[in-house]
Amino acid sequence: MKKYHLAAVLLLSAAVFAGAACAAEPAKFHIGICTGTVSQSEDDLRGAEALIQKYGDVTDGGMIKHVTYPDSFMTEQETTISQIAAFADDPLMKAVIVNQGIPGTTEAFRRIREKRPEMLLFVGEAHEDPSVIDSISDLTVGNDNLSRGYLNIVLAKRLGCKHFVHISFPRHMSYELLSRRRMIMEQTCKDIGLGFHFETAPDPTSDVGVAGAQQFILEKMPTWIDKYGKDTAFFCTNDAQTEPMLKSIVEHGGYFIEADLPSPLMGYPGALGLDLADVSGNFEAILKRVEDTVIARGAGGRMGVWAYSLGFTTSKALGEFAIDCIEQGVTHQKFRRYFEIPKVIKFFDAESPNSSWKGRYYADAQTDVESKNHILILQDTYMLGAGPQHMTDIEVPEKYLKIH
């Protein structure tokens, strides 16, 4: 009897050991993701961390390898290119995601494609012109800036705003989609009776850095609110400058429709002094805490978000889509036959169960030719203290989408 028990124990131990060895078996393939740092684009980075939490880091035998590009990416472009291109040195690497697709992404992808022509290359929120990045990426996904150029102004008018202030700098205004959005905003203001105003701020990638650019906004916002009035909606094109803008609007008045890359995490925690560590990744809880604080601070109905983070969701959804493609045996050569917009939107919807996304192909303004590997996505605006605004139900007049 004792011998039987001993044999059973030995067999059980062997089974447990085999199971542990199986569980610890290294990933069969790797996914690379490059994002900005916490100071420049925290949401993108947190989405990459969520992938690591689920699938493991390659250094521990997992699936995900994450790197960050420099904050001063405009002056350290070769560093950025080298970092992204280095993903191709890993023989198990099957797909690379860059979110956001800052300048240099196209060149990095060209170097990867030369070395590893089968790899899948995905971009979230491209900074380079669509015709440039789309020439090399398998898939480019960005927020529907063109539709938002119209919808943000329509909502500002509905909320009672009389003016709309757009704050940016030359580098961003050289980007096609950001420039076109600005022109759409200006034309919509003209058409529906809002005053449109453009203000220039320092570029955070310049010598002043992120801190200097944020300080500029913090110092100028009270002046701008006095100049244009409290019935003014403010908008800036840079993530880092969102926090001081929100802080000023809470303290001095004004409206904020949504961020350049909308999210309850975009600027709100810092502006409101919130610690969200205990609800990290739980966007329903994050939204409630942000909303409760905004209402308590007297800014309810004046500040908006997307209920789910664009940057976080893009990193996570593109990672999940890449894994799906690889498990289906889809390579660069097979991607065009496999890809459909609903297949991508499915992964965005999975990350935001209480909201939904709309997607459409990007079309060139001059030729109307659609880019079949570039989709624009949109989520409804949620006004804190007032709820969903149903902006995705509004059809944008075609004339605005053709402005360039």
Side-chain angles (χ1 to χ4, degrees):
M1 191 73 173
K2 288 181 180 179
K3 287 183 179 179
Y4 175 79
H5 282 311
L6 178 60
V9 168
L10 290 173
L11 285 171
L12 179 61
S13 299
V16 170
F17 179 80
C22 180
E25 183 180 344
K28 292 181 173 59
F29 60 85
H30 295 162
I31 304 289
I33 180 165
C34 178
T35 71
T37 65
V38 169
S39 64
Q40 277 280 46
S41 47
E42 180 175 355
D43 285 20
D44 309 346
L45 180 142
R46 299 305 181 201
E49 289 180 342
L51 286 170
I52 293 172
Q53 185 175 11
K54 182 175 180 179
Y55 295 105
D57 192 295
V58 294
T59 58
D60 299 319
M63 186 185 293
I64 309 299
K65 180 175 178 60
H66 176 222
V67 300
T68 58
Y69 52 75
D71 283 347
S72 301
F73 53 82
M74 291 304 292
T75 56
E76 298 182 55
Q77 198 164 121
E78 189 53 46
T79 299
T80 300
I81 293 169
S82 298
Q83 282 181 315
I84 299 170
F87 282 129
D89 296 334
D90 178 354
L92 291 180
M93 193 66 64
K94 299 296 184 183
V96 172
I97 301 154
V98 180
N99 183 32
Q100 302 165 41
I102 59 173
T105 301
T106 296
E107 176 56 30
F109 277 9
R110 290 193 195 285
R111 295 183 190 184
I112 292 175
R113 190 72 79 207
E114 288 174 1
K115 190 171 185 177
R116 301 283 300 282
E118 80 287 357
M119 283 177 59
L120 294 171
L121 304 176
F122 296 167
V123 181
E125 211 57 45
H127 291 210
E128 297 169 306
D129 282 349
S131 62
V132 175
I133 189 63
D134 293 350
S135 70
I136 193 68
S137 70
D138 288 294
L139 175 65
T140 304
V141 177
N143 79 86
D144 193 347
N145 278 314
L146 306 184
S147 294
R148 291 176 62 212
Y150 174 80
L151 296 172
N152 282 193
I153 305 303
V154 168
L155 181 52
K157 176 76 171 183
R158 182 196 297 175
L159 294 172
C161 295
K162 294 183 173 60
H163 298 274
F164 190 91
V165 176
H166 181 290
I167 303 164
S168 190
F169 38 83
R171 177 172 62 87
H172 271 185
M173 289 300 90
S174 71
Y175 297 170
E176 180 188 332
L177 290 176
L178 301 192
S179 175
R180 286 176 62 187
R181 180 181 61 190
R182 176 256 172 102
M183 289 187 283
I184 293 168
M185 285 177 164
E186 186 170 7
Q187 185 61 52
T188 308
C189 281
K190 181 180 179 180
D191 291 347
I192 68 175
L194 268 70
F196 179 87
H197 312 277
F198 184 90
E199 295 285 356
T200 302
D203 187 336
T205 68
S206 67
D207 292 343
V208 303
V210 171
Q214 290 177 323
Q215 186 61 33
F216 177 89
I217 296 294
L218 198 60
E219 292 174 357
K220 291 294 290 187
M221 277 297 294
T223 303
W224 288 333
I225 293 170
D226 285 343
K227 179 179 179 181
Y228 298 113
K230 293 184 179 182
D231 52 2
T232 299
F234 292 87
F235 175 84
C236 65
T237 64
N238 180 258
D239 298 345
Q241 293 172 339
T242 302
E243 180 180 315
M245 174 179 288
L246 293 174
K247 182 178 176 64
S248 295
I249 290 173
V250 169
E251 294 177 359
H252 304 290
Y255 287 76
F256 179 84
I257 305 302
E258 58 190 31
D260 179 66
L261 300 178
S263 163
L265 294 175
M266 183 57 67
Y268 280 106
L272 300 172
L274 295 178
D275 182 0
L276 300 172
D278 62 318
V279 290
S280 178
N282 183 344
F283 279 93
E284 291 87 351
I286 291 169
L287 181 66
K288 184 179 188 308
R289 189 168 299 177
V290 170
E291 184 169 31
D292 289 347
T293 307
V294 165
I295 293 170
R297 298 282 293 274
R302 296 193 289 111
M303 308 180 82
V305 297
W306 283 4
Y308 294 86
S309 162
L310 173 65
F312 181 99
T313 307
T314 297
S315 290
K316 185 70 162 46
L318 288 184
E320 297 283 4
F321 181 54
I323 292 167
D324 172 72
C325 288
I326 294 163
E327 290 179 342
Q328 298 296 325
V330 178
T331 61
H332 163 63
Q333 292 82 358
K334 299 177 181 178
F335 184 77
R336 290 295 178 91
R337 295 193 298 276
Y338 181 75
F339 169 68
E340 297 172 348
I341 288 180
K343 287 181 178 179
V344 178
I345 295 298
K346 176 182 73 172
F347 289 99
F348 278 82
D349 285 342
E351 300 301 325
S352 49
N354 294 322
S355 188
S356 61
W357 300 77
K358 288 175 68 174
R360 65 183 181 88
Y361 289 114
Y362 163 79
D364 183 89
Q366 295 177 316
T367 65
D368 277 337
V369 174
E370 291 183 333
S371 178
K372 296 298 185 180
N373 63 329
H374 190 152
I375 62 174
L376 303 178
I377 56 176
L378 185 68
Q379 189 185 145
D380 185 27
T381 304
Y382 184 99
M383 293 303 294
L384 300 165
Q389 299 299 301
H390 308 291
M391 303 309 291
T392 51
D393 295 339
I394 299 174
E395 290 299 323
V396 179
E398 193 68 22
K399 79 165 192 174
Y400 293 103
L401 300 179
K402 293 182 180 298
I403 291 175
H404 64 276

